[in-house]
Amino acid sequence: MMQNRSFFGSLPPITKNLIIINFLLWFATITLPRVGVDLVDLLGLHYFQSSKFNAVQLVTYMFMHDPNSISHVFFNMFSVFMFGRTLEAAWGSKRFLFYYITTGIGAGLVQEVFWYVLLHDQIAMVAANIGWEATQLQLNQLVTIGASGAVFGILLAFGMLFPNIPLYLMFIPVPIKAKYFVIGYGLIELFFGISGIQSSVAHFAHLGGMLFGLFLILYWKKKGIGNNGRFF
């Protein structure tokens, strides 16, 4: 007997639930401020010296997106849909979820290191001039949100597992092999991060997701863990 399956019903469970949860939380970020609850401020990743920092934010920040525009959450979840479902089918749900969360946490840690290197001396100087309490008010403004670090980890994994699959990109009529797409995207992020272009975007967090993804995949390869999801 043939069964009709809905769009979401055809998706593997982790991919499907990641998309649903991210959109539900995005909707919450635009509605809850009406009752005085700012989810971005509570669950977004703050600088570790900020009074608003909580270690749990290293996980929760990747489920927060810009409440002022749907494009942030849409494009991140579109990437999860396009590439995550293939990885989940290859690895299995538990291993895919472990990879997703690990690369997201790794991206957050890299962002914290970037902030520290960039701002440590400046923070010390400001604190000496105006006091630590006043400095805290400025530190509390530093916050990172979004699933992009985990998404870049997904892109890295897809490029390593399926390097020769052609990808057709918007405005580019010629297919690009996945491995070249990932390398090119990584180099662009590195350029943006070093140059300071698009300074409002956490480029080093994106690179952190790819870096932690690379370490994890190489570790699995060293341990002889294949692509059949038998990690757990």
Side-chain angles (χ1 to χ4, degrees):
M1 177 183 295
M2 295 184 63
Q3 296 182 343
N4 292 324
R5 303 177 66 185
S6 66
F7 169 75
F8 274 109
S10 65
L11 293 177
I14 299 302
T15 299
K16 176 176 65 178
N17 284 293
L18 285 174
I19 293 173
I20 292 173
I21 291 170
N22 274 274
F23 272 107
L24 286 177
L25 286 174
W26 177 79
F27 182 73
T29 63
I30 64 176
T31 56
L32 289 182
R34 299 175 184 177
V35 294
V37 178
D38 187 345
L39 282 184
V40 171
D41 192 51
L42 290 173
L43 303 181
L45 180 62
H46 290 271
Y47 184 54
F48 75 94
Q49 289 184 303
S50 167
S51 61
K52 292 188 176 183
F53 173 77
N54 187 313
V56 176
Q57 293 169 356
L58 285 166
V59 175
T60 59
Y61 90 96
M62 68 183 82
F63 295 95
M64 296 289 100
H65 289 85
D66 183 2
N68 298 312
S69 172
I70 196 174
S71 61
H72 189 204
V73 64
F74 174 80
F75 285 110
N76 274 342
M77 292 305 102
F78 181 73
S79 297
V80 171
F81 165 73
M82 289 295 296
F83 303 105
R85 56 180 174 163
T86 304
L87 292 178
E88 186 173 352
W91 280 342
S93 296
K94 290 183 178 180
R95 186 176 169 198
F96 173 67
L97 179 60
F98 179 83
Y99 180 87
Y100 183 91
I101 296 298
T102 300
T103 53
I105 292 174
L109 291 173
V110 170
Q111 180 63 28
E112 291 286 346
V113 171
F114 171 72
W115 274 335
Y116 179 81
V117 172
L118 182 68
L119 301 173
H120 177 67
D121 292 340
Q122 180 181 342
I123 290 171
M125 181 177 64
V126 171
N129 291 328
I130 66 174
W132 183 245
E133 184 174 345
T135 304
Q136 276 293 319
L137 296 176
Q138 298 183 22
L139 290 180
N140 290 344
Q141 302 304 311
L142 290 174
V143 61
T144 290
I145 56 175
S148 299
V151 167
F152 271 76
I154 287 177
L155 292 176
L156 185 280
F158 188 89
M160 292 186 71
L161 268 65
F162 310 101
N164 295 314
I165 287 184
L167 300 177
Y168 293 86
L169 306 179
M170 192 178 300
F171 306 121
I172 302 179
V174 180
I176 302 174
K177 289 185 177 181
K179 58 184 177 183
Y180 298 131
F181 171 78
V182 170
I183 292 172
Y185 215 156
L187 290 175
I188 290 172
E189 286 297 309
L190 182 61
F191 168 75
F192 281 156
I194 294 175
S195 66
I197 298 175
Q198 294 184 332
S199 59
S200 61
V201 179
H203 297 291
F204 283 102
H206 299 171
L207 291 170
M210 299 181 82
L211 183 64
F212 272 72
L214 177 63
F215 288 157
L216 193 51
I217 291 173
L218 292 178
Y219 172 77
W220 284 340
K221 183 177 180 181
K222 182 178 179 180
K223 294 296 183 179
I225 300 170
N227 297 333
N228 56 6
R230 294 174 57 188
F231 177 68
F232 287 85

